[in-house]
Amino acid sequence: MSNVSLYSVAYTLSSVLLGALAHLFPAPIHGWLISGTVVTALAAVIFAAILLLASMLNTILLIWYERKLLGRFMDRRGAMHVGYAGLLQNFADGLKLFRKDTVRPGQADPLGFWLSPTAYMVTSLVIFGLLPISTGWNGGSLPLTLLLALVIFSFAPLFIFLGAWASNNKYSLIGGMRSAAQMIAYEVPILLAVVAVVVLAGTFDLNTIVLEQRNYWFWAPLFLALIVFLTGMLAEMERIPFDLPEAEAELVEGWNTEYGGMLFAFFMLADYLRALVGSILVVLLFLGGWTLPSYVPAALTSFPLAGIVWFMVKTYLVFGLFVWVRASLPRIRTDQLLRLGWMRMVPLALLSVLLAALVVLSHCLPLIGCVPSMGG
Amino acid sequence: MSATPEESPGREEKPFLWVTRPLATAAKQFVKSLWRPSTVVYPFERLEDPKFRGEVAVASGKPIGVGEIWDNYRGVHALNINTCISCNLCAFSCPDVCIEMVTVPGGDPKHPKKCPQIDYGKCSFCGFCSDACPEGCLSMTTRYELSVHKREEMVYSPARMFEVYKSKLPMNPIRVERPANEDQILLDPPICIGCNACSRDCPTQCITMLDIAKPTAKPGEKLPKRIWKEPVINDSDCVRCGTCISVCPKDCLFWGTRQ
Ligand code: SF4
Ligand code: SF4
Ligand code: SF4
């Protein structure tokens, strides 16, 4: 499992492809084609393509998963007819959206209007590429991956606001404004919760953070931080109960009111991609990433691709939690969100930073006991 | 002014409950519907299917009481072509004029067998036709699925309704009783010319033309030009369809009570 990495797969694929292609050409081109640079370049492209495919497939699956889960929460079945249990329904929906004409309102600003969905999508994809899914599946190991991911994650309201402003529609604009206002409420608690994790792990590198959880997953000492992070992520993804910018009851469709067809599909996909990324972050930071506790029988952790499988299971469970919240809670108001963010989440997050510091200093875990090797 | 929600006793702000209670409710619902949500996957299972009721609904602990279609449901008509006597009563009684009597095989050239054909584009499912049918061969069933692709498919030919009959669906058992002292067909003898039209067209063949004595003409009197026969109606067989009245060229048959 650990010696098969995504990049090595891409590299092998690339060299095989180029090797086969090179046979068709005479010497100079042949040599150039199988040179290291070209093979590496193609490998990078293949790598990116695999990432793109994986992210899109997962996103669409996630939509299906949410529809089914939400159905059960509401005592109904969700999509049923296209594919097995409606599995292909979203592909059909996507196909329909992609075939539609994209209409730009006459008074809308073309640059902002086209740019915003694209940027929204691209930034979401970039975060997905940054996050390690398993030991083999790793887009890149920078020392500050976590910070980079969070920074890109918080770009979104910017693009939402851009698109909303460019649409030249009052509902879009209100939605965009709300999105920007909402950001003030959740960014600080999220970062503070992450600080708690970082204090415990001693690094910003996601790979190391996961490895640091080999003895205990971070949610145990940092339960408060987990709650704050989950809530903040809900707001970050703009999902119910924090979907103020969309608020279809008041704002038509919020900031994407004017977007239709393919652009709407872009927003939709990016929304769920962000939900996926948010769930992945929760799994990485608090739930031990692709690792399982040591008391789990080895048979469950040693089959090929076990890391990815367990990671995905955890991610989907976390997303299930978000769906559960969506099925239960009503949307709250902006002032309530701000109050929640500043008066509840920030103190809780600060408290969990304190807890993390205590754990590191005392090498002790509440409820679990003292382990000398504990803490970053 | 009444108390605002915050002030009223049961609803003071409990932020923790405010979040956890809905979560618990949703979780309960989720667990309940994990095995089987309430949704009936309609084209594949129907509430009234014995299989659905017996194995699915009851097995999952929620027998659905409303599932059975009421016996008195007025759905698609079933027509037993074999017992239809082509009396036309159904077509007469239809308030929406959606019944057309069409020829079906089985009659003789003189008496073509005609059975109702119903246009469900017009039918209001009032059930008058099945009430009127003297033979009980036109009846309404519990079939409620009437969607079709084309307008023409909404017209149910007698053969099609015969298929419905053969599917042995539960039929609407409620039928308006005929009043005991129903009017009969009466004859105004002096006008009758003995033409045999009523006897010929009576669907139940309950009219017999009997010979009557030809009166001897008094001097100067001109005997009417007629056949010296008169219809005699077997009242117990008469279904009161009125065919005889409508075919009578002299309007000498009428509804009434024999004194
Ligand atoms: S149910 Fe009523 S409307 Fe329909 S065919 Fe019979 S008499 Fe006519
Ligand atoms: S009322 Fe009954 S017997 Fe008479 S024509 Fe109609 S279906 Fe036939
Ligand atoms: S009403 Fe006339 S035609 Fe109809 S059954 Fe009676 S006698 Fe025959």
Side-chain angles (χ1 to χ4, degrees):
Chain A
M1 163 187 129
S2 48
N3 42 21
V4 179
S5 79
L6 184 60
Y7 186 71
S8 69
V9 169
Y11 194 86
T12 320
L13 209 63
S14 157
S15 47
V16 167
L17 273 178
L18 283 178
L21 194 67
H23 276 297
L24 303 174
F25 292 98
I29 303 181
H30 180 111
W32 181 76
L33 273 178
I34 52 174
S35 68
T37 332
V38 179
V39 174
T40 316
L42 185 65
V45 172
I46 292 178
F47 182 79
I50 295 177
L51 273 184
L52 181 69
L53 198 69
S55 64
M56 286 297 105
L57 270 179
N58 260 308
T59 308
I60 292 181
L61 263 184
L62 208 64
I63 304 180
W64 173 79
Y65 176 66
E66 166 157 41
R67 291 172 76 166
K68 296 303 268 189
L69 219 51
L70 208 55
R72 299 286 157 152
F73 274 116
M74 297 171 176
D75 203 7
R76 56 186 175 83
R77 282 171 185 269
M80 276 295 286
H81 291 290
V82 189
Y84 174 73
L87 200 53
L88 299 182
Q89 178 69 54
N90 296 311
F91 291 92
D93 289 352
L95 212 62
K96 189 197 87 175
L97 283 175
F98 275 87
R99 282 174 56 235
K100 291 214 163 185
D101 193 9
T102 331
V103 182
R104 180 175 64 82
Q107 302 288 308
D109 175 54
L111 183 61
F113 192 80
W114 301 120
L115 188 63
S116 120
T118 322
Y120 192 53
M121 184 82 188
V122 167
T123 48
S124 312
L125 281 171
V126 167
I127 321 168
F128 185 81
L130 278 175
L131 301 178
I133 305 291
S134 167
T135 38
W137 185 296
N138 203 330
S141 184
L142 308 168
L144 295 178
T145 337
L146 177 55
L147 269 194
L148 185 58
L150 285 172
V151 166
I152 301 177
F153 212 2
S154 55
F155 275 171
L158 218 66
F159 299 124
I160 290 177
F161 188 65
L162 177 67
W165 188 276
S167 309
N168 195 14
N169 172 314
K170 59 184 169 189
Y171 297 117
S172 300
L173 189 54
I174 297 174
M177 290 282 196
R178 283 189 183 183
S179 180
Q182 179 161 335
M183 188 179 170
I184 304 169
Y186 61 75
E187 272 312 329
V188 175
I190 283 189
L191 287 176
L192 282 176
V194 168
V195 164
V197 172
V198 169
V199 166
L200 216 50
T203 173
F204 278 110
D205 179 12
L206 283 167
N207 283 303
T208 323
I209 290 180
V210 171
L211 293 182
E212 285 294 330
Q213 301 183 51
R214 62 191 177 279
N215 293 325
Y216 60 95
W217 293 355
F218 284 166
W219 72 265
L222 297 179
F223 190 67
L224 285 179
L226 173 63
I227 301 243
V228 171
F229 193 76
L230 279 176
T231 321
M233 271 298 146
L234 272 177
E236 174 100 56
M237 303 167 192
E238 291 171 3
R239 290 175 59 81
I240 293 172
F242 305 122
D243 65 335
L244 305 158
E246 212 177 299
E248 65 273 353
E250 315 144 29
L251 294 184
V252 190
E253 189 57 25
W255 45 269
N256 52 21
T257 300
E258 290 295 352
Y259 286 95
M262 202 165 108
L263 294 182
F264 175 75
F266 259 38
F267 271 132
M268 186 83 182
L269 277 178
D271 261 353
Y272 277 87
L273 190 54
R274 285 163 62 80
L276 180 71
V277 167
S279 315
I280 289 179
L281 271 177
V282 173
V283 173
L284 282 175
L285 295 182
F286 293 96
L287 300 179
W290 52 89
T291 60
L292 283 183
S294 49
Y295 52 80
V296 172
L300 282 179
T301 54
S302 56
F303 59 87
L305 298 182
I308 294 183
V309 169
W310 286 116
F311 194 94
M312 280 297 133
V313 168
K314 287 184 198 175
T315 308
Y316 276 69
L317 283 179
V318 170
F319 185 71
L321 203 66
F322 291 145
V323 177
W324 180 18
V325 172
R326 172 175 176 183
S328 321
L329 298 182
R331 182 183 312 123
I332 64 175
R333 291 194 310 264
T334 307
D335 63 320
Q336 288 168 326
L337 174 61
L338 286 171
R339 203 159 41 151
L340 183 74
W342 285 101
M343 294 173 64
R344 302 260 152 72
M345 280 156 70
V346 170
L348 281 181
L350 283 173
L351 195 63
S352 52
V353 174
L354 202 68
L355 270 178
L358 279 180
V359 169
V360 171
L361 288 180
S362 66
H363 299 292
C364 282
L365 276 181
L367 302 179
I368 295 180
C370 295
V371 186
S373 67
M374 200 161 276
Chain B
M1 282 294 287
S2 60
T4 57
E6 281 85 2
E7 288 161 6
S8 62
R11 300 189 54 184
E12 74 268 31
E13 220 176 331
K14 286 186 213 143
F16 187 64
L17 277 186
W18 187 84
V19 174
T20 48
R21 208 187 277 139
L23 281 176
T25 314
K28 238 185 280 167
Q29 183 56 58
F30 181 72
V31 172
K32 234 194 278 173
S33 63
L34 202 54
W35 163 241
R36 228 204 106 78
S38 293
T39 318
V40 181
V41 192
Y42 161 62
F44 308 112
E45 55 188 33
R46 293 170 170 76
L47 278 177
E48 73 274 13
D49 281 352
K51 181 177 177 304
F52 179 79
R53 296 176 56 72
E55 290 170 26
V56 182
V58 178
S60 63
K62 32 180 152 177
I64 299 169
V66 294
E68 215 158 10
I69 300 184
W70 197 22
D71 277 347
N72 197 15
Y73 189 83
R74 298 199 297 253
V76 175
H77 297 76
L79 170 71
N80 185 354
I81 291 190
N82 299 330
T83 52
C84 174
I85 55 171
S86 311
C87 70
N88 221 0
L89 271 179
C90 46
F92 274 150
S93 56
C94 177
D96 299 336
V97 206
C98 57
I99 299 188
E100 195 187 329
M101 303 300 289
V102 296
T103 315
V104 294
D108 52 66
K110 264 195 187 155
H111 293 93
K113 178 156 182 158
K114 294 204 165 192
C115 283
Q117 159 186 297
I118 300 183
D119 181 355
Y120 284 105
K122 299 183 196 163
C123 174
S124 60
F125 299 94
C126 63
F128 286 2
C129 50
S130 78
D131 279 347
C133 178
E135 301 298 304
C137 57
L138 187 66
S139 189
M140 302 190 84
T141 65
T142 52
R143 158 128 36 132
Y144 50 83
E145 285 152 328
L146 280 151
S147 331
V148 289
H149 292 107
K150 291 196 204 107
R151 233 168 239 234
E152 306 88 74
E153 289 170 26
M154 287 203 272
V155 178
Y156 272 51
S157 66
R160 210 160 151 204
M161 284 192 285
F162 193 39
E163 290 304 314
V164 178
Y165 172 80
K166 284 194 279 193
S167 69
K168 295 213 172 4
L169 287 162
M171 298 208 199
N172 185 347
I174 296 181
R175 190 167 284 283
V176 174
E177 287 294 323
R178 294 180 160 264
N181 55 346
E182 217 174 4
D183 279 355
Q184 312 172 326
I185 303 288
L186 296 181
L187 178 70
D188 193 357
I191 312 177
C192 179
I193 54 170
C195 71
N196 195 34
C198 52
S199 168
R200 181 194 62 209
D201 284 351
C202 172
T204 58
Q205 302 290 306
C206 65
I207 304 185
T208 325
M209 299 305 287
L210 290 186
D211 291 336
I212 49 167
K214 183 178 181 180
T216 39
K218 291 180 192 119
E221 188 194 32
K222 197 164 176 286
L223 281 177
K225 195 165 180 288
R226 63 167 289 180
I227 297 161
W228 296 99
K229 282 176 188 275
E230 242 177 40
V232 173
I233 296 162
N234 177 356
D235 193 55
S236 59
D237 279 0
C238 170
V239 295
R240 270 86 179 157
C241 68
T243 308
C244 46
I245 297 184
S246 52
V247 296
C248 178
K250 288 290 187 189
D251 286 346
C252 56
L253 291 166
F254 57 94
W255 294 112
T257 322
R258 206 181 293 277
Q259 254 72 52

